[in-house]
Amino acid sequence: MNIVLMTPIRLLADSLTGSLNDLQNINAISCTDISELKDLLTVAQPDIILIDITEAAHETDLEKLMELANDYPHVPLVALGLEWEIFDLEQKGLGLFSNYINRSVSIHDLYQALYSLDTNQKVISTSLNPELLKKNR
């Protein structure tokens, strides 16, 4: 499975892609912003784009991500964030992300979630309160 991770935090990018690359059947690369992500997508063929939303989920960034989602409709965008940020995105009702994973999960849980995505299952991290998420839909 080919994964592209976008996060503005270089330490997180290097650590997470390193950990994912240590797992079986995963090839992960990272970038730090949407511009770099678009450049990567001209040469990479990801199965999943994992986007860290913890730093700044500003409207302008979301608009650029919407454009990206329209340009690559076959590649699921997965939000990696903190619980309140995920709820905030859900409340906006953009439908931008196909799945949400809480950033506090272990690498093992992230691995399982990514493979669940490969089988087209809806993934909501077990550390999220599903009742609160339902209320926001």
Side-chain angles (χ1 to χ4, degrees), residues 7-17 30-33 36:
T7 178
I9 305 166
R10 176 54 55 199
L11 181 60
L12 175 62
D14 292 348
S15 300
L16 189 51
T17 54
S30 64
C31 59
T32 57
D33 59 34
E36 190 178 349

Side-chain angles (χ1 to χ4, degrees), residues 48 78 98-99 101 112-121 123:
I48 295 172
V78 178
S98 60
N99 289 279
I101 300 174
Q112 288 185 322
L114 293 171
Y115 272 100
S116 293
L117 291 173
D118 205 31
T119 60
N120 295 320
Q121 297 175 19
V123 173

Side-chain angles (χ1 to χ4, degrees), residues 1-88:
M1 175 184 319
N2 295 318
I3 298 169
V4 173
L5 166 67
M6 185 183 83
T7 178
I9 305 166
R10 176 54 55 199
L11 181 60
L12 175 62
D14 292 348
S15 300
L16 189 51
T17 54
S19 294
L20 288 171
N21 284 327
D22 286 343
L23 300 172
Q24 187 177 27
N25 300 321
I26 291 186
N27 179 36
I29 56 176
S30 64
C31 59
T32 57
D33 59 34
I34 294 172
S35 175
E36 190 178 349
L37 176 60
K38 287 182 178 182
D39 290 343
L40 269 178
L41 293 176
T42 62
V43 293
Q45 296 180 347
D47 299 303
I48 295 172
I49 299 172
L50 189 59
I51 299 174
D52 177 13
I53 60 167
T54 56
E55 278 303 300
H58 295 101
E59 295 299 325
T60 54
D61 292 337
L62 292 176
E63 288 174 15
K64 290 177 184 176
L65 287 174
M66 288 293 285
E67 291 173 16
L68 184 83
N70 289 332
D71 291 342
Y72 297 90
H74 60 285
V75 181
L77 299 180
V78 178
L80 179 66
L82 301 172
E83 189 169 349
W84 67 270
E85 292 165 320
I86 292 169
F87 293 145
D88 186 48

Side-chain angles (χ1 to χ4, degrees), residues 108-135:
H108 175 74
D109 289 342
L110 178 60
Y111 177 75
Q112 288 185 322
L114 293 171
Y115 272 100
S116 293
L117 291 173
D118 205 31
T119 60
N120 295 320
Q121 297 175 19
K122 184 71 174 177
V123 173
I124 298 173
S125 167
T126 56
S127 60
L128 293 178
N129 181 334
E131 291 306 311
L132 287 175
L133 191 55
K134 285 179 191 173
K135 290 178 186 175

